[in-house]
Amino acid sequence: MPQGNALPNASPSLSYWQRTTRSFAHLHANNTIPVPTSARYVVIGSGIAGALTAFELLEAGVNAEDVVILEAREAAGGASSRNAGHVRPDAFRGFTAYSKVHGAEQALKIIANERLVLQKVDEFITEHAAACDFHRTTTFDVCMTPDFAEYEAASFNAYKNAGGDVSHVKYYTGPEAQAKTNVPGAVAAYEWPAGSSHPAKLAQFLLSSVVSRGVRLFTFCPAIDIMRSSDAGPGLWDVNTARGTVMTEKVIHCTNAHAAFLLPLLDDYITPNRAQAHSLIPTAAFTGTNILQNTFSLRYSLHHFYSLIQRQADGTLILGVSRSNPTLSKETIDGRLSTDDSKYNEEIASDALSSFGGIFPDYGANGAMHGEGLDHAWTGIIAMTADSLPFVGEVEGFPGQFVCAGFNGHGMARIFTCAPGVAKLVLGKQWEETGLPECFQMSKERLGRLSSQAVPSVW
Ligand SMILES: Cc1cc2nc3c(=O)[nH]c(=O)nc-3n(C[C@H](O)[C@H](O)[C@H](O)COP(=O)(O)OP(=O)(O)OC[C@H]3O[C@@H](n4cnc5c(N)ncnc54)[C@H](O)[C@@H]3O)c2cc1C
């Protein structure tokens, strides 16, 4: 069976975010009762994409009782509750790679969309007083090698020369970069607005909001398949689960890395990858008034990097790692092509900790007190797509079925425009009204192009 064609693993590990929100009231909502026999809208997946899609449907006037959310695990049990906490738009770096595949005009729109997402997240959290430890700040892209500094400079210039707005990006080199970032090995650094959040709290806020208005959430209830409804004529779908069948007009697949399980036509285009993150209890150098105010991407190359945020709420450091890393064994790298997030990889954890200690020598891991240092490590499954972009829109040949998935380990910088976009499409609006880059649109033409094209990965 192809990797994408799998349901979420039934016994996942718990992330730092999940371990700190076990009292969420809807965690196990409706986990035993049968699903309703019909509903106008069935959202599959209760991560941030599914929860926000449901939220947007209600905001647009849909009756909450008409919406059912099916979730294979506990509420928001997928990547949304297992990530590295960054809400970090790409400010220019992906431009070169995106241009090669989608052309400069689309590449400009992709980057502009990410900037818009940060604004949307910020506005949403402020407007709804969503308690998710959101920290609006700036982020550093720290170039740890001269080669990567060169790559980054070329991307910056290409983006700027194509008309991209870089007025919000600051650049530092040599000693200034080292002083600004507190990274002695920094060759250069770029700084721009970004944020961090407690992603599980954000997903849970969205779910609480829709459930309190009448949306029915069924946890531990995977959709097993979707068939044309035989009884009631065309235009209706039967969504089958082990707890019954829901007949519906509209299905919205917010299943990210697992989208191909119900939509096999995506099998060659969405590949699940296991990603890992770590929480660290800081040593004294990173506590109290010394806690990091900015977030970081610490980059040795395009595909070898570490992400870092420090939570303002409790000082916990969250350290993420890139998918590839030339210092890791082949077995570890190959092991990432998996949907098994039940455990973490020791080699990745050990590399992450030693690299972190090397990058920030002040951290002083060797002198750590009992209780400081690695707190927890976990994994989650990200959805890599063949052209590094999400699939959003109606699925041709399956009228009434929509998808909003394929976030390439980068959903926090994309979902807050994609989910509102798919909600508009579900309600009959045209693509132009979503405001999304055209290259995000799900179409047979796009899939056809991808099967005949070698596409460089951006992430
Ligand atoms: C370790 C790690 C670090 C990351 N770090 C970052 C970061 O710092 N910044 C960032 O922007 N992004 C990051 N990401 C990616 C980010 O978490 C995702 O892009 C985002 O959460 C995707 O949201 P989603 O709602 O589409 O998917 P998910 O949160 O995965 O939700 C999909 C849901 O669908 C459910 N599901 C799947 N199939 C079925 C089915 N058949 N029936 C019912 N339910 C089903 C799943 O159980 C899951 O809950 C990271 C991811 C991981 C794993």
Side-chain angles (χ1 to χ4, degrees):
M1 181 181 276
Q3 269 297 320
N5 212 337
L7 278 172
N9 164 31
S11 52
S13 57
L14 285 189
S15 70
Y16 164 85
W17 314 110
Q18 292 172 300
R19 280 159 48 109
T20 49
T21 51
R22 301 314 290 161
S23 57
F24 176 53
H26 306 297
L27 202 59
H28 292 186
N30 297 321
N31 61 351
T32 55
I33 64 171
V35 295
T37 50
S38 68
R40 219 157 155 208
Y41 305 90
V42 174
V43 177
I44 308 181
S46 71
I48 292 176
L52 184 58
T53 298
F55 185 94
E56 292 288 327
L57 289 173
L58 303 201
E59 293 293 296
V62 163
N63 191 343
E65 282 79 28
D66 288 340
V67 181
V68 160
I69 304 178
L70 300 178
E71 168 53 55
R73 293 177 164 177
E74 67 178 36
S80 294
S81 291
R82 328 173 74 79
N83 68 36
H86 243 148
V87 186
R88 186 177 200 271
D90 180 354
F92 59 85
R93 189 184 340 102
F95 178 75
T96 312
Y98 289 133
S99 295
K100 283 187 192 143
V101 187
H102 304 284
E105 188 189 319
Q106 290 297 310
L108 286 171
K109 289 188 182 185
I110 295 167
I111 307 254
N113 177 66
E114 302 214 359
R115 195 171 171 192
L116 179 63
V117 168
L118 176 66
Q119 184 192 322
K120 296 271 178 210
V121 171
D122 195 354
E123 284 170 3
F124 179 93
I125 289 169
T126 308
E127 182 184 343
H128 299 284
C132 61
D133 304 340
F134 184 61
H135 177 52
R136 174 87 194 237
T137 178
T138 60
T139 189
F140 289 112
D141 233 26
V142 186
C143 307
M144 299 300 297
T145 63
D147 277 359
F148 187 67
E150 224 170 90
Y151 179 91
E152 192 95 315
S155 287
F156 181 87
N157 290 328
Y159 180 63
K160 190 173 167 196
N161 294 338
D165 179 9
V166 288
S167 57
H168 58 308
V169 182
K170 293 181 187 152
Y171 170 65
Y172 314 102
T173 185
E176 195 187 7
Q178 292 153 17
K180 283 275 176 194
T181 61
N182 204 22
V183 174
V187 175
Y190 295 77
E191 182 183 12
W192 65 86
S196 64
S197 74
H198 188 308
K201 285 188 185 171
L202 177 56
Q204 291 168 6
F205 172 84
L206 288 162
L207 290 173
S208 290
S209 169
V210 297
V211 167
S212 69
R213 287 190 261 175
V215 167
R216 286 164 292 170
L217 166 64
F218 292 83
T219 60
F220 298 95
C221 189
I224 297 162
D225 62 32
I226 303 177
M227 316 287 277
R228 279 184 197 279
S229 195
S230 50
D231 296 349
L236 288 172
W237 298 100
D238 282 340
V239 180
N240 294 312
T241 78
R243 302 215 298 273
T245 296
V246 198
M247 190 173 64
T248 186
E249 283 170 41
K250 303 273 168 83
V251 181
I252 306 110
H253 296 257
C254 297
T255 43
N256 206 30
H258 306 279
F261 178 76
L262 296 169
L263 290 171
L265 82 167
L266 284 175
D267 220 8
D268 292 336
Y269 309 101
I270 294 192
T271 311
N273 269 234
R274 181 169 52 211
Q276 186 163 316
H278 314 82
S279 54
L280 278 66
I281 305 302
T283 54
F286 287 77
T287 57
T289 52
N290 296 330
I291 85 167
L292 297 170
Q293 297 301 320
N294 313 90
T295 75
F296 292 81
S297 179
L298 302 143
R299 306 191 81 101
Y300 291 88
S301 71
L302 189 57
H303 298 300
H304 175 201
F305 58 90
Y306 303 88
S307 78
L308 180 69
I309 65 162
Q310 185 161 24
R311 286 172 40 69
Q312 306 298 295
D314 60 12
T316 302
L317 292 154
I318 306 287
L319 181 60
V321 297
S322 51
R323 281 190 306 140
S324 59
N325 175 340
T327 67
L328 297 177
S329 66
K330 185 172 179 315
E331 192 189 351
T332 291
I333 292 294
D334 290 350
R336 292 189 162 191
L337 280 177
S338 169
T339 52
D340 179 3
D341 54 3
S342 63
K343 49 189 177 295
Y344 75 97
N345 177 294
E346 292 277 2
E347 189 188 358
I348 294 174
S350 148
D351 165 77
L353 289 180
S354 69
S355 296
F356 175 66
I359 293 167
F360 291 102
D362 288 353
Y363 182 68
N366 292 338
M369 294 187 297
H370 176 64
E372 293 174 337
L374 182 65
D375 163 55
H376 187 56
W378 66 92
T379 49
I381 310 302
I382 60 176
M384 303 309 294
T385 62
D387 58 3
S388 302
L389 298 181
F391 290 103
V392 181
E394 192 161 19
V395 186
E396 275 174 76
F398 298 82
Q401 291 200 41
F402 296 79
V403 62
C404 180
F407 290 106
N408 291 276
H410 195 56
M412 306 304 295
R414 288 201 164 139
I415 292 170
F416 266 72
T417 53
C418 289
V422 84
K424 286 197 172 93
L425 298 172
V426 168
L427 296 176
K429 299 218 160 121
Q430 297 302 305
W431 178 265
E432 297 65 45
E433 295 172 80
T434 66
L436 291 168
E438 289 77 8
C439 52
F440 285 12
Q441 188 168 14
M442 169 77 190
S443 69
K444 276 191 185 154
E445 186 273 327
R446 177 173 162 198
L447 299 186
R449 211 168 355 105
L450 288 176
S451 45
S452 59
Q453 209 176 28
V455 178
S457 166
V458 177
W459 300 107

